[in-house]
């Protein structure tokens, strides 16, 4: 029996057709994976299945094949993705009323409210008591499965990306959706959360209740229970069939890639060195000796950041407790810990995006925070890739890719005032390096989530910042982009021009230059451990 059947259709949004032709069928008992490179059409397909991002299927007129579309799940589809999580945070930012509430803090929708408002017959009214149904979810199997009992009354905007996506999954299970579309569900999840999600997926495949379609960027993370694969490239279906056949194709591709991998890395290194040299005049200080090489830098004892007995929390929730930590120039740090352990909060104390920095003893570049320095004086010495940065850039999504890169030289979100000829030329060189040649006039909002992430990484690196802050930089990146970005970061780490702080849950993404580890352990005393390798 067919659960979904699409024949001779297209995917379109408000601006027109994005994928010109789709023919695909999902039958009972099948477990499908949707895969493909960033911008290839995978994201368009999963968004169209759920009706997200304005995407929808439309039938094509054709004499060759009668167009047909049938989805037995109709509107009973829930999407759990990085893209959906980013849209949620964007909505919360747009609806923030902190300027109008007592105490100046509007926590927005909590996880409890977000789940309850999706229940049949439940109406949530702002500033009114919640209905009984909103509290009955505490003991639900879905809430326990997703491990969100302790964060139900936390505002969505204060959740980590992993916590938000677990909340999305719980919502889909509680409101009885018949089809769950999980797009890059393991990205940014800690080991325990990954196991919970993998066990859930395996069980759902067996029971077909709910039905699940998995969208992924990386083959090495694919669950064993997947039976069929749908691959997109260049906005077309490039493979549709059984997993065993796809694995044969992958094996052949890997052999071809391995043969030219070393040469490709050397070409990339040469292009990077040339790009830095050609754009040196726009980098911090514009000094000739800031042009990177691929040789190891020699560290020194210059202190860039110092935190003394730092404590951060909201109400009864303690995020960081009694943290003492110092960053010296050319010490590259890996920051790790479970979801919700305070990794992003730690970074936001440095970037100035958390106001509690002023209540603590935090020093940046030899100056105590809160002694008259402006946020711009701080950020001009930093390059930042983070979830917050990504959300903020989505709110100016009409910015061209050229202007996104130029904004990296100016430390702005979006571009205010036109780009100079020199800045434009530099941006085009960086876009070419990142695989975006000829696309400088496309808008940030028109890209897939993974492509957006790649653009933000390029933006962070263009000025050779003193500190490069990377909060899960490889979120949403396909294998090729991930390898290129990790290689770029390795070169930056070796050349001695930028000191890196790197958050990731994936052990494979740890860089060889990261000899220092800050490990956060929530609910323990002490709540952190420093490891030197």
């Amino acid at each position: 029996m067919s659960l979904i059947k699409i024949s001779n259709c297209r995917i379109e949004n408000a601006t027109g057709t994005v994928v010109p032709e789709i023919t695909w069928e999902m039958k009972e008992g099948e477990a499908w994976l949707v895969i493909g490179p960033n911008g290839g059409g995978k994201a368009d397909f999963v968004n169209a299945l759920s009706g997200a991002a304005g995407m929808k299927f439309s039938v094509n007129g054709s004499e060759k094949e009668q167009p047909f579309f049938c989805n037995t799940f109709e509107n009973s589809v829930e999407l759990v993705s990085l893209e959906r999580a980013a849209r949620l945070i964007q909505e919360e930012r747009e609806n923030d009323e902190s300027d109008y509430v007592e105490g100046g803090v509007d926590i927005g929708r909590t996880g409890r409210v977000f789940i309850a408002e999706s229940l049949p017959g439940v109406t949530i009214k702002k500033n009114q008591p919640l209905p009984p149904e909103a509290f009955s979810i505490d003991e639900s199997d879905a809430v326990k499965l997703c491990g969100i009992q302790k964060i139900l009354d936390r505002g969505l905007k204060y959740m980590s990306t992993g916590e938000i996506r677990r909340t999305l999954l719980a919502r889909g299970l509680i409101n009885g959706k018949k089809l769950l579309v999980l797009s890059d569900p393991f990205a940014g999840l800690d080991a325990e959360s990954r196991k919970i999600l993998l066990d859930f997926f395996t069980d759902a495949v067996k029971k077909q209740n709910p039905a699940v379609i998995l969208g992924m960027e990386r083959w090495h993370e694919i669950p064993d229970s997947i039976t069929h694969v749908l691959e997109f490239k260049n906005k077309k279906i490039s493979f549709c069939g059984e997993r065993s056949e796809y694995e044969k194709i992958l094996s052949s591709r890997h052999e071809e890639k391995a043969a030219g991998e070393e040469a490709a890395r050397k070409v990339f290194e040469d292009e990077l060195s040339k790009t830095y040299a050609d754009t040196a005049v726009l980098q911090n200080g514009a000094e000739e000796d800031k042009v990177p090489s691929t040789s190891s830098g020699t560290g020194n004892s210059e202190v860039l950041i110092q935190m003394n007995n730092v404590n951060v929390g909201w109400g009864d929730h303690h995020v960081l407790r009694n943290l003492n930590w110092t960053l010296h120039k050319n010490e590259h740090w890996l920051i790790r810990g479970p979801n919700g352990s305070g990794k992003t909060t730690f970074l936001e104390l440095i970037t100035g995006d958390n106001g509690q920095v002023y209540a603590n003893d935090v020093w940046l570049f030899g100056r105590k925070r809160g002694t008259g320095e402006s946020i711009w004086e701080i950020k001009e010495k930093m390059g930042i890739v983070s979830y917050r940065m990504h959300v903020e850039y989505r709110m100016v999504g009409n910015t061209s890719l050229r202007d996104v890169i130029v904004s990296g030289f100016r430390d702005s979100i979006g571009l205010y005032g036109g780009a100079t000829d020199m800045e434009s030329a530099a941006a085009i060189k960086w876009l070419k390096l990142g695989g975006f040649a000829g696309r400088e006039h496309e808008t940030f909002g028109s890209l897939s989530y993974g492509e957006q992430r790649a653009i933000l990484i390029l933006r962070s690196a263009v000025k050779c910042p003193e500190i490069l802050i990377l909060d899960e930089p490889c979120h949403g990146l396909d294998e090729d982009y991930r390898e290129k970005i990790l290689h770029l970061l390795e070169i930056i780490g070796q050349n001695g021009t930028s000191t890196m702080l790197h958050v990731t849950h994936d052990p494979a993404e740890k860089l060889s230059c990261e000899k220092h580890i800050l490990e956060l352990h929530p609910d323990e005393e002490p709540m952190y451990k420093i490891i030197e390798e």
Side-chain angles (χ1 to χ4, degrees):
M1 175 183 172
S2 292
L3 300 176
I4 305 175
K5 187 170 183 178
I6 304 169
S7 179
N8 193 23
C9 293
R10 65 183 182 275
I11 299 175
E12 61 183 14
N13 59 17
T15 63
T17 298
V18 292
V19 177
E21 188 171 352
I22 295 283
T23 295
W24 174 72
E25 183 178 11
M26 177 182 178
K27 297 179 180 179
E28 283 187 346
E30 296 176 346
W32 280 84
L33 167 76
V34 186
I35 197 167
N38 295 138
K42 177 185 74 72
D44 302 320
F45 180 76
V46 298
N47 281 329
L49 280 176
S50 61
M55 296 291 180
K56 65 178 182 179
F57 293 104
S58 297
V59 296
N60 287 326
S62 172
E63 298 178 358
K64 296 186 297 181
E65 184 180 1
Q66 183 66 31
F68 182 78
F69 178 79
C70 177
N71 184 354
T72 60
F73 303 109
E74 300 182 81
N75 296 319
S76 189
V77 183
E78 187 79 42
L79 173 65
V80 181
S81 68
L82 291 164
E83 172 76 22
R84 178 74 177 103
R87 283 202 302 273
L88 266 180
I89 298 302
Q90 185 175 344
E91 290 169 12
E92 293 302 298
R93 294 278 177 83
E94 291 172 345
N95 296 325
D96 189 286
E97 296 182 353
S98 294
D99 291 341
Y100 310 104
V101 300
E102 185 177 349
V105 177
D106 174 20
I107 68 170
R109 285 181 295 176
T110 62
R112 183 183 304 281
V113 169
F114 177 64
I115 292 173
E117 66 187 10
S118 72
L119 299 175
V122 173
T123 301
I124 306 291
K125 295 183 179 179
K126 194 173 180 64
N127 299 322
Q128 295 295 317
L130 295 177
E133 293 88 345
F135 298 96
S136 65
I137 65 176
D138 291 72
E139 299 304 316
S140 72
D141 291 339
V143 165
K144 294 176 182 178
L145 169 74
C146 298
I148 61 170
Q149 301 98 316
K150 294 182 179 180
I151 62 172
L152 281 173
D153 294 307
R154 190 185 304 173
L156 294 174
K157 69 181 76 172
Y158 300 115
M159 293 184 186
S160 69
T161 56
E163 290 170 333
I164 290 175
R165 282 182 293 137
R166 282 189 278 143
T167 302
L168 275 167
L169 177 59
R171 170 177 155 131
L173 294 172
I174 288 175
N175 63 26
K177 295 295 187 182
K178 297 177 182 177
L179 173 64
L180 291 178
V181 182
L182 306 179
S183 181
D184 287 315
F186 302 114
L189 294 187
D190 57 39
E192 181 179 355
S193 299
R194 289 168 69 91
K195 184 180 185 305
I196 290 172
L197 190 55
L198 183 59
D199 290 345
F200 160 75
F201 178 78
T202 302
D203 187 58
V205 167
K206 290 178 181 177
K207 296 178 179 178
Q208 293 282 293
N209 184 27
V212 180
I213 293 175
L214 191 62
M216 298 283 284
E217 306 288 355
R218 305 173 191 171
W219 181 259
H220 74 275
E221 296 178 322
I222 305 307
D224 294 337
S225 45
I226 287 292
T227 61
H228 290 73
V229 178
L230 179 65
E231 182 189 69
F232 284 87
K233 283 185 179 181
N234 301 317
K235 302 295 185 180
K236 296 178 182 178
I237 292 177
S238 50
F239 178 87
C240 181
E242 294 185 1
R243 174 181 184 146
S244 58
E245 292 302 312
Y246 187 69
E247 287 177 332
K248 293 177 185 177
I249 292 174
L250 278 187
S251 178
S252 177
R253 288 178 185 171
H254 289 160
E255 289 178 7
E256 293 176 6
K257 181 179 178 182
E261 196 166 61
E262 190 58 38
R265 287 173 68 91
K266 182 62 170 64
V267 168
F268 180 77
E269 289 181 8
D270 291 344
E271 289 178 350
L272 176 61
S273 294
K274 187 175 186 304
T275 300
Y276 264 122
D278 290 347
T279 61
V281 69
L282 294 171
Q283 295 162 18
N284 282 350
E287 303 143 357
E288 287 297 322
D289 60 3
K290 287 180 72 72
V291 178
S293 69
T294 56
S295 60
S296 298
T298 55
N300 61 45
S301 60
E302 180 183 343
V303 174
L304 299 179
I305 303 173
Q306 187 165 342
M307 296 186 180
N308 302 309
N309 200 36
V310 165
N311 289 273
V312 178
W314 297 274
D316 295 330
H317 179 60
H318 301 284
V319 183
L320 299 175
R321 298 190 310 277
N322 304 321
L323 174 65
N324 292 283
W325 176 78
T326 302
L327 173 69
H328 294 90
K329 185 170 183 173
N330 290 335
E331 285 184 353
H332 306 299
W333 284 75
L334 174 69
I335 297 99
R336 66 189 183 196
N339 293 136
S341 62
K343 300 182 298 297
T344 296
T345 299
F346 169 77
L347 294 181
E348 289 181 345
L349 290 174
I350 298 169
T351 62
D353 293 313
N354 188 305
Q356 294 194 41
V357 66
Y358 300 111
N360 281 282
D361 187 9
V362 178
W363 293 71
L364 270 68
F365 309 113
R367 186 170 183 176
K368 189 176 187 300
R369 288 303 314 272
T371 56
E373 80 289 354
S374 73
I375 190 66
W376 303 114
E377 289 175 318
I378 295 297
K379 290 195 173 182
E380 71 179 2
K381 298 180 180 180
M382 299 179 184
I384 303 168
V385 179
S386 67
Y387 192 58
R388 177 188 288 267
M389 174 72 72
H390 200 147
V391 170
E392 289 178 345
Y393 245 103
R394 288 170 60 88
M395 298 179 77
V396 288
N398 288 329
T399 306
S400 71
L401 302 190
R402 182 203 67 176
D403 288 352
V404 174
I405 300 300
V406 171
S407 73
F409 294 116
R410 301 188 185 183
D411 308 301
S412 61
I413 305 297
L415 193 63
Y416 304 93
T420 66
D421 290 344
M422 184 179 296
E423 289 173 331
S424 293
I428 289 171
K429 290 178 184 294
W430 275 97
L431 288 169
K432 180 181 179 182
L433 176 72
F436 293 89
R439 301 177 63 182
E440 60 268 18
H441 298 300
E442 293 183 28
T443 62
F444 185 79
S446 70
L447 304 185
S448 70
Y449 186 94
E451 287 180 306
Q452 290 177 355
R453 202 67 164 188
I455 288 291
L456 291 179
I457 292 171
L458 294 175
R459 175 194 178 276
S460 72
V462 295
K463 63 176 181 177
C464 278
E466 288 192 48
I467 299 177
L468 186 55
I469 294 176
L470 306 158
D471 192 355
E472 297 283 6
C474 293
H475 264 182
L477 297 186
D478 62 38
E479 286 288 3
D480 287 343
Y481 264 126
R482 176 175 172 269
E483 288 178 11
K484 179 178 285 190
I485 291 303
L486 289 175
H487 188 44
L488 168 64
L489 297 178
E490 283 283 12
I491 295 172
I492 291 174
Q494 292 169 4
N495 66 46
T497 58
S498 295
T499 300
M500 292 190 295
L501 302 178
H502 179 201
V503 169
T504 181
H505 284 287
D506 190 341
E509 292 176 4
K510 181 181 182 299
L511 304 174
S512 61
C513 61
E514 293 168 348
K515 306 299 185 184
H516 310 271
I517 301 172
L518 176 63
E519 199 170 76
L520 300 181
H521 298 273
D523 303 321
E524 294 184 16
E525 190 63 45
M527 55 77 65
Y528 69 96
K529 182 187 296 183
I530 291 176
I531 302 169
E532 304 287 347
E533 294 187 345

